[in-house]
Every structure is written in structure tokens, then in C-alpha cells.
Amino acid sequence: MLKPPLTFKHRLVLPLLLSLVLILGYPLAFSLWISLHDYRLTAIEQARWVGWAQYFTILAQNASFWNALGNTVRFVGIAVSLELVFGLLLALLLHRKATPFRHFFRAALLVPMFVTPIAVGLMFRFLLNSQLGVVPSVLRALGITIDWFSAQQALITLALIDVWQWTPFMLLLLLAGLESLPEEPFEAARVDGASPLQIFWHLTLPMLRPTILAAVVIRMLDAFKVYEYVYAITRGGPGESTETIQYHIYRVGFLYFRLGEASAMSYILIAVILMLVVLLFYALRRESLSQR
Amino acid sequence: MKGHRFSFLLGAAALLAACAAPSAPAATTVPTRPSEAAAAPVTLNIIMEQVPDYDIVASLTRQFEAEHPNIKITFDAMPYDAMRDKILTSALAPSASYDVIIVDNPWMDEFARAGFLLPLDDYIAQAPDYDFNDFVGPLRDIGVVDGKVYGVPYYNYALGLIVRQDLFDNPDYQAKFQQAFGKPLQVPTTLEDYVAVGKFFKSQGIFGAAMQPQRGYKIFEEWKNWLYAAGGNLLDAAGNVIIDNAAAQQALEMYIDMYKNAAPPNSVNWGFDEALRSMSSGESATMLSYNWMLPTLNKPDGPAGELAGKFALHEVPGGKAVLGAWHWAIPKNTASADAAWTYIAWITSKAIDKQRVIAGGAPTRVSVMQDREVWEKGFGQQYYETVLKILEDAEPLARGARAEEIINEVGTELNSAVAGEKDVAAALAAAAQKTRAILARP
């Protein structure tokens, strides 16, 4: 007996698939089309085919694009590594039953994560402002002068703001990971006289590695999209020292109206992120296979 | 299996980062011949920047509505950053969201050449007693693109040198300056004098200049006054890029000298707000800023508190100032062009413009700046005469269809030099190279 081309269960998901094609497929296809054209919002009728030359020009001749990509990688590296360290420390503290008020802190520490990033950016813009900011004022009283937004410091400052906002996310994932670990190996290690440091190094960390990897992957992908802090605080300055890739794409696409070029940059960014995802996914798989 | 699902989710998340674009607009028909405003009731939607001048315009508009019962006005006031995108979106739509817009001078050529704006020549020619030539020449010229008028001046952003006059008049400072430099302490008229005066005040415990070296628009707007004073410009008369010549090099070196040795520390990202705070708090002795900041600083209940009344406006060192301006314009795709012109002609007419300026608006008409009633009810004869002098010898920040991009790219390089990321020659060479590349695009 021949199977019908579309079974009942297939027909059930058809509306969803059609919606996805319309909502995701059309914009993606259109943005791919304009990425191959010299497409400017102020001269739409004059859009002309330039093909892959647009991609080649960006990759081979656009120093600002590479600078922005470099800034983004530096930002992600600083922010995610600090978030991992602080998140792990906090998770270990909150995992201990002896920690006082641990349930209160679990709730309180999550607050920054629920503030919209543009508001966080504006908040820190004023907190760190050399004229009005409470932070420079307190530091001055202690005899410390830091120019938070100098060319050398600004990107680190933005990364620290990201750390303030997203360490709770790392904490949440790592705490869930810690609480899912079996108790028996730890009891055996304590019976054998292992020190807390040894237990952490030889048991906790290896057993937590898949969770750490997953948390790092998710945070890295999210940190790659940094835009709001840059827009609210530095606008990419001083010079191009804090121009991240998302801000650069915004600048080309929506400030200069060169949407074709901005779309090509977006596709290059997608390619970079996908490569990163594939690499991290294989690392995850190897990790999960070695655990078996 | 779990791993595959995880990778799919991550892949989907990455793909979601792609951006989409609006589709091309349909062609629209527009009125091309001016006529009397339609008798049928019409509502005009006007986009404006949310600044004090908007409040003045909004309040005058009630008078307009009383005189023109068939035309209702609604304003969409917003921060500057949001305006350009909104105007562009409206211009690309089949029907306009805005019937009247205000256009910043870097956008004028871009919008006119993109076909977003309606030429106003016929309207102006047929408007009784309008006297278009009464607008100050350089302001009027900004609204003219390829020989046609697309914008009528609404607001000037010409820069002047705002100083704490009480410091310059202080006998103690005058004696010390005379002793140190062998000449009297005066408001500087050259770059050399400006840097010397700035450093002198710094040695007396007051910062010489509240500067605005913020990346992009702000530093370009401020530094271009220095460039003019050094005898330079962005382009020469033939349209060649000359921003990397000796005059530009000297202007940038002196600007950085002033920043390092006379401006407040850690101010490399300062813009308009920070510089104003520095001046109004008494921290700094001078600043290059918009001429209409003087009344704000001298207002008894204004930001300067007890310092109100001690500020004075002068021409920038070198005399030639950077000119910024807002212009009233009519989008090509509006269905209410005649009514839109009726409103623009009314709000920019001599009589109403006089009321606007008396209420504190930035002047644009010569007759209004020379009006005794304006002097008496406004901010005094000296102020308006100085503003007129500034405006008559001012030049737009940048012109051409890609002015916005040039301003931002050059401003980025200038800021790099001030921040110490690049040396002066390298920054100016990069600025020139980027400007040439922008101008060379089809």
C-alpha cells in the first residue's frame, strides 16, 4: 500500500513550517540578495549587481571590519573568561550548605541579568562618568584616578560591564551543573582524606566540564552580539578602539545606508560564528564520549 | 542525538543574527504646482528634534492653528539620533508618515539627490512678502542643491567662542598675563593666542578650554574651526581633498596641544553635555560651542547658577566658523504639500520668526537680528550683532550626498590622534584616504 505524500503529523507541522519560511526564510534570502548588490537606501533604484566582489573587498581591503572583528574577539575573550571564573566561584559558594543566606543570594545575584542591556549601558555611562560618576568620585577620594574610557581602557571597561550583567547567567548554569553531580564520588574522596582543593581539582572540575563547555558556548555566542553597551557608552571610540562588529555593521548599514555592504558583513559574521559553533560542538561531543 | 539537537539550536541562534532590509517603495505621485492650501481639513504630521526650540515652535503653532482652522498640526518630537532613520523610512514608504520634516545640513544634499524632498522654488516665488533673501546667505545656501531650493532655514548651529568674560577682565589675571607674555590678556583671535590663553588659565587653576574631542561628529565640528583658522579646509575650490596638508597638520597639532595642556583631564570622549557642564560649573574658562548657548549660560535660573551673566560670545579664533543648520523641508511623498508649505511659510515668515527669536529661538533672518525690538526683548544688541557676524562668515560642516559618512570617518581619525592611537600625520592621511574613497564611490 502506498503511503500518502503527507501524513497527518506532517500536515500538523505544515503551518509552522510555512510561517518559518515566511518569517525567517524571506528576510534571509532578501538579505543574501542585497549582500551581492551595491544596495544603498538612498539610491534603491540604482542598486547594481556586484556579486562576491563585495565580500572580497570587505575581507581584503576593509581594515575597519577586521579591527571591529578583532575588538569583538578581545571583548568576548575577556568577558567570558572572567564570567566563567566569577560564575564558578559564586556557584561553589552557593552550592555549599554552610553558606549563610544562600537562598537569598541566589535570587539577588540574578538581578543584573534581567535588566535590559541598553539600560545597563546608560547606567554605567553615568556611574563611570568623570564629571558625575560615583565610581570615579569614590576612587578619587582614595587617591586613585582611572580613565575608564581611555583608548587603552575602554574595551576592558565594556567587558567588565558585561561581566557585571552576565556572570549571574554563568552562575545559574554552573550551579545547576553542580547540583546535578552525584554525591558518592565526593563522599568517597572525603573518606580517603582528600583536601577541598584536591576534590575541586580532581573531581568537581572534570565532572563539571560538559556544563562549563555548554555555558561558555552559549555566553560566547551571546557576547559576540555586543552592541548596546557600545552604542550607549562609547559609540566605538576613542578612535576605533571599542568598535565591535555589530556596531560596525550598524554604522555601515544604518548610518551610511550602505545596506548591501552591511548585509555582506553580516553573512561573513554568520560564517565565523557557525565555524565557531561547529568547533565547540565537536569539543562537546568528544567530551560527552570520553565521559561514557 | 542530544548533541545534534544542541548544535541545531546553536546554528539557528547564529542564523537569527542576520539582518533583513525593507523592500523598495512604490512610486508616488506628488503635487508639483503650488496652489492655495486646500480648504478641506488636513492634519500635518511634523518630525522635530526634542530641544528647547521645539517648545517655542510648538507654542507658536497654536497661533497658526487658530489662523488656519482647516490645518491641524501634530508633532513627533524625538532625540536627534532617531530622526534620520525615521525620515528615511517615511521617505521610502508609499505614503509619507511626515508631511513636514526638518533636515540637518549634512543630510540636505543626500536627501535632495535621493529624490526625497520637494523643490520649494515655485512656492517661494509665489509667497507674498516672504523675502527669501532675508535669510543669512550661508544658511540659505545650505538649502540649495543643484540650483533648486529644498530647504528653508529654521535654526542655526554656527559655532562661536564662549568665554568667561569676568576672567578676561580680571586685573590680577591681566597683570600676570602681561608679565608672562608681554601683551594684554584678550579674547583670542588666532589659534596661537587661543592655545597660549588656554595654557595660562590652566596655570592659574582653571582649565583653559572645555573641549569636545568625542569621536565622529563632535570632534569634526569643533576641530574644523581650528582648521579654518589655520587656513585649511576639507576640500579645495576644485573639490580635491586637502585635509592632510600642512595647514591641517598644524591645526591638529595645536588642537592636541590645547587638549593635553589646557583641557580637563580624561575628556577624550567629551561631547556637548560634558563641555557645557564644565563651563557652567566654573571649571573651564572657554569653549567653542553653538552661539545660542550664551543665553542659556547667562540665564539667572540656568545651569551656570551664580556664574550667570559672566559669559560672553565672540567669533571663533580666525573668524571663520563652522555652520550647522536645521532646515524646514517637504517630503516628496506627502499628500499635503500645499498645506505643508502654508505652515512652513507661516513659521518662517518675518513676523513669526521675530516672535520665535524673541522667545529664545536661534536666529536665521538678517532683519530679525537687526530689529531693535528683538534686541530689547531678547538678549541684547551685542549678542545679535555677534551672531550675525558669525553667520555671515561661516561655512557648512560638510556638503555633498555623503557628508554624514565623511564627518563620521574623519571624526574617527581625529579622535584617534587625540587619544594617542595614531600620530597626527597618520591620522590625517587616513582621514584623507577615507574621504577620497567615499567621494569616489559611484
Side-chain angles (χ1 to χ4, degrees):
Chain A
M1 187 180 137
L2 279 173
K3 271 191 173 180
L6 276 179
T7 62
F8 178 66
K9 66 180 181 185
H10 288 129
R11 285 200 296 274
L12 277 177
V13 295
L14 205 59
L16 173 70
L17 285 172
L18 286 172
S19 304
L20 277 176
V21 166
L22 281 173
I23 294 164
L24 281 177
Y26 172 74
L28 281 172
F30 184 72
S31 60
L32 180 64
W33 182 83
I34 64 168
S35 79
L36 300 167
H37 288 75
D38 176 20
Y39 188 94
R40 284 170 286 132
L41 285 174
T42 47
I44 288 173
E45 289 82 8
Q46 294 159 36
R48 56 194 183 90
W49 169 265
V50 288
W52 301 106
Q54 184 130 274
Y55 286 81
F56 175 78
T57 307
I58 292 164
L59 291 169
Q61 293 169 24
N62 194 330
S64 292
F65 173 81
W66 286 108
N67 172 71
L69 204 56
N71 283 343
T72 309
V73 170
R74 274 194 294 279
F75 171 87
V76 170
I78 297 165
V80 176
S81 49
L82 286 175
E83 283 158 21
L84 176 62
V85 171
F86 293 138
L88 191 55
L89 280 172
L90 287 167
L92 288 168
L93 277 172
L94 294 178
H95 184 55
R96 286 171 69 244
K97 291 189 171 53
T99 304
F101 306 113
R102 68 193 189 109
H103 294 296
F104 166 76
F105 285 120
R106 275 184 189 202
L109 283 167
L110 298 184
V111 169
M113 209 167 69
F114 300 117
V115 185
T116 182
I118 193 77
V120 170
L122 290 168
M123 189 173 80
F124 276 99
R125 179 175 147 188
F126 289 106
L127 282 172
L128 300 174
N129 181 289
S130 60
Q131 288 174 311
L132 307 168
V134 68
V135 177
S137 172
V138 169
L139 289 175
R140 269 197 300 270
L142 298 170
I144 304 164
T145 306
I146 299 174
D147 183 4
W148 293 98
F149 301 118
S150 68
Q152 297 73 30
Q153 177 66 38
L155 192 70
I156 297 165
T157 302
L158 295 185
L160 291 175
I161 293 168
D162 194 77
V163 169
W164 179 86
Q165 177 156 37
W166 294 111
T167 296
F169 178 77
M170 203 66 107
L171 156 70
L172 205 62
L173 291 185
L174 297 174
L175 191 56
L178 278 173
E179 301 208 328
S180 68
L181 296 180
E183 192 56 39
E184 296 82 359
F186 294 93
E187 279 176 11
R190 277 193 287 272
V191 168
D192 289 342
S195 69
L197 201 64
Q198 285 174 315
I199 291 172
F200 171 74
W201 192 254
H202 296 288
L203 274 180
T204 313
L205 213 51
M207 290 169 82
L208 203 60
R209 214 178 301 168
T211 311
I212 289 172
L213 205 52
V216 165
V217 168
I218 294 167
R219 267 309 301 143
M220 274 178 80
L221 288 175
D222 198 36
F224 249 98
K225 295 191 295 183
V226 62
Y227 167 81
E228 294 91 342
Y229 307 146
V230 181
Y231 181 82
I233 303 170
T234 63
R235 300 286 170 110
E240 290 186 328
S241 62
T242 60
E243 178 134 330
T244 59
I245 192 67
Q246 298 283 359
Y247 186 80
H248 184 71
I249 290 169
Y250 153 79
R251 194 153 67 97
V252 172
F254 296 99
L255 202 60
Y256 305 156
F257 298 147
R258 298 207 305 271
L259 220 56
E261 195 180 331
S263 296
M265 286 177 186
S266 298
Y267 274 97
I268 293 168
L269 180 62
I270 287 172
V272 170
I273 290 173
L274 277 177
M275 277 193 291
L276 197 69
V277 168
V278 169
L279 285 172
L280 289 165
F281 167 66
Y282 275 111
L284 258 177
R285 270 195 73 186
R286 272 182 46 202
E287 192 60 45
S288 60
L289 286 171
S290 66
Q291 295 277 312
R292 284 175 193 172
Chain B
M1 189 65 213
K2 229 181 219 178
H4 283 295
R5 205 173 303 144
F6 181 63
S7 76
F8 169 76
L9 284 172
L10 290 179
L15 284 172
L16 277 170
C19 56
S23 54
T28 55
T29 53
V30 294
T32 51
R33 283 175 49 243
S35 63
E36 282 303 304
V42 62
T43 298
L44 297 178
N45 196 19
I46 302 179
I47 186 170
M48 291 195 77
E49 189 188 10
Q50 181 79 60
V51 288
D53 244 62
Y54 156 71
D55 298 326
I56 298 166
V57 167
S59 123
L60 286 168
T61 299
R62 285 199 286 274
Q63 201 178 315
F64 172 82
E65 286 177 317
E67 289 174 28
H68 302 79
N70 282 333
I71 304 175
K72 190 179 179 318
I73 305 288
T74 59
F75 288 106
D76 191 0
M78 61 188 69
Y80 178 84
D81 282 351
M83 291 185 66
R84 193 158 161 260
D85 294 350
K86 289 252 189 187
I87 292 170
L88 179 100
T89 310
S90 170
L92 292 174
S95 62
S97 315
Y98 300 110
D99 306 291
V100 176
I101 59 175
I102 54 169
V103 179
D104 196 8
N105 66 293
W107 316 337
M108 184 58 77
D109 299 57
E110 178 181 48
F111 287 177
R113 287 186 185 144
F116 295 167
L117 307 179
L118 200 64
L120 304 175
D121 303 71
D122 291 348
Y123 282 124
I124 290 166
Q126 293 183 25
D129 307 321
Y130 188 64
D131 194 4
F132 185 60
N133 289 330
D134 184 37
F135 291 104
V136 187
L139 273 175
R140 200 174 57 231
D141 292 346
I142 289 173
V144 180
V145 182
D146 301 329
K148 286 183 176 174
V149 179
Y150 288 95
V152 174
Y154 150 52
Y155 195 95
N156 90 74
Y157 270 85
L159 279 94
L161 178 66
I162 295 177
V163 304
R164 280 274 307 281
Q165 196 62 49
D166 62 314
L167 299 178
F168 282 88
D169 297 342
N170 182 307
D172 185 35
Y173 287 143
Q174 285 184 337
K176 284 177 177 169
F177 191 87
Q178 181 74 42
Q179 194 178 10
F181 295 93
K183 55 182 179 181
L185 172 61
Q186 288 174 329
V187 173
T189 54
T190 65
L191 288 184
E192 290 78 7
D193 284 352
Y194 190 26
V195 175
V197 165
K199 288 178 179 175
F200 167 74
F201 278 123
K202 171 98 185 282
S203 72
Q204 302 303 309
I206 302 157
F207 292 113
M211 296 171 81
Q212 300 174 51
Q214 189 183 69
R215 173 192 168 163
Y217 197 102
K218 290 314 299 178
I219 187 168
F220 189 51
E221 183 182 56
E222 180 172 66
W223 177 75
K224 208 171 178 219
N225 295 282
W226 291 64
L227 181 63
Y228 290 155
N233 210 325
L234 177 67
L235 309 173
D236 65 12
N240 301 305
V241 178
I242 54 165
I243 202 167
D244 51 351
N245 66 7
Q249 181 118 353
Q250 184 203 4
L252 188 53
E253 279 166 358
M254 292 179 88
Y255 183 88
I256 293 170
D257 185 19
M258 180 74 121
Y259 172 75
K260 283 182 175 168
N261 299 304
N266 304 339
S267 56
V268 74
N269 288 312
W270 277 22
F272 175 78
D273 291 344
E274 291 86 356
L276 177 64
R277 270 197 294 270
S278 183
M279 268 311 265
S280 58
S281 67
E283 184 186 48
S284 297
T286 73
M287 75 168 170
L288 287 178
S289 193
Y290 307 123
N291 59 80
W292 41 258
M293 278 313 302
L294 184 78
T296 304
L297 283 164
N298 279 337
K299 216 167 30 176
D301 57 342
E306 289 175 5
L307 295 175
K310 293 179 174 174
F311 298 91
L313 174 71
H314 300 268
E315 287 189 83
V316 295
K320 185 176 176 179
V322 162
L323 177 62
W326 283 112
H327 280 62
W328 294 105
I330 302 175
K332 213 171 192 173
N333 58 345
T334 178
S336 313
D338 291 357
W341 171 252
T342 303
Y343 177 75
I344 291 173
W346 183 88
I347 197 79
T348 57
S349 64
K350 281 184 182 178
I352 303 302
D353 201 55
K354 183 173 160 178
Q355 286 183 44
R356 187 182 65 81
V357 172
I358 287 172
T364 55
R365 280 184 175 271
V366 175
S367 64
V368 169
M369 283 181 269
Q370 291 175 336
D371 191 300
R372 286 189 177 282
E373 194 186 346
V374 172
W375 297 347
E376 285 159 18
K377 293 180 176 174
F379 307 114
Q381 180 179 351
Q382 194 197 347
Y383 169 70
Y384 294 105
E385 283 178 344
T386 307
V387 172
L388 185 54
K389 241 190 275 178
I390 289 169
L391 288 172
E392 282 171 338
D393 190 16
E395 191 180 298
L397 185 56
R399 294 245 22 194
R402 299 197 177 93
E404 185 80 14
E405 188 171 354
I406 289 169
I407 290 165
N408 275 284
E409 290 297 336
V410 173
T412 297
E413 296 302 330
L414 297 172
N415 181 253
S416 289
V418 176
E421 286 196 294
K422 287 183 181 176
D423 65 46
V424 167
L428 290 174
Q433 186 241 318
K434 283 181 175 180
T435 306
R436 288 186 189 106
I438 291 164
L439 292 173
R441 280 204 200 99

